[in-house]
Amino acid sequence: MQAQVLALGGLRFRPDSSAKTSQEFHCEAPERGLLDALNEEFDQERPELVEALTYCDMTTSPGGTPLDVDDRLAEIHSRYGPEHLVSRSISNATPCISSAVRAVQAALADGALPDGRDGR
């Protein structure tokens, strides 16, 4: 039997893998009418994982260059234009995105990120 695949934000997620990893993609789901499908299909990720992955996504350009979150948001808006579904989604998600990035930056500055040896 072939696994059902959910496409969102240009990524494909299988039901047997983790999907709710980025505020950007999760906030795009309502615009695409997929929020109920995401909630039914996938478990909620740990908040710190969502923040870390959002930080990585939103502080890196599509080409891999480090960016400030505001520059990354501007890049997304300029690439898609103001009326595109992705731009609308990013506008709705900006407070969550910015909060996640600030939280990770603070944890990095404080040395408070877990090192992975304690099971977190």
Side-chain angles (χ1 to χ4, degrees):
M1 180 169 94
Q2 185 175 6
Q4 181 182 12
V5 176
L6 177 64
L8 184 61
L11 298 178
R12 293 167 58 106
F13 302 105
R14 293 170 40 102
D16 58 348
S17 66
S18 180
K20 292 184 186 178
T21 54
S22 172
Q23 290 294 341
E24 174 188 358
F25 300 122
H26 184 68
C27 291
E28 192 175 308
E31 291 281 343
R32 293 187 183 270
L34 296 173
L35 186 59
D36 289 339
L38 264 179
N39 287 331
E40 288 175 15
E41 197 75 32
F42 300 99
D43 293 332
Q44 180 67 41
E45 288 295 343
R46 298 183 336 236
E48 68 275 12
L49 177 61
V50 174
E51 286 179 343
L53 292 172
T54 299
Y55 169 84
C56 292
D57 181 32
M58 299 309 294
T59 59
T60 308
S61 75
T65 305
L67 288 177
D68 177 79
V69 66
D70 293 329
D71 293 336
R72 175 72 163 118
L73 292 168
E75 180 275 321
I76 292 168
H77 288 294
S78 70
R79 185 163 24 115
Y80 288 97
E83 299 304 316
H84 194 278
L85 175 138
V86 172
S87 290
R88 292 192 315 264
S89 300
I90 288 296
S91 291
N92 292 335
T94 292
C96 295
I97 290 168
S98 297
S99 176
V101 169
R102 284 191 308 272
V104 172
Q105 288 170 331
L108 286 168
D110 293 343
L113 288 176
D115 63 14
R117 288 182 269 179
D118 62 356
R120 292 191 299 167

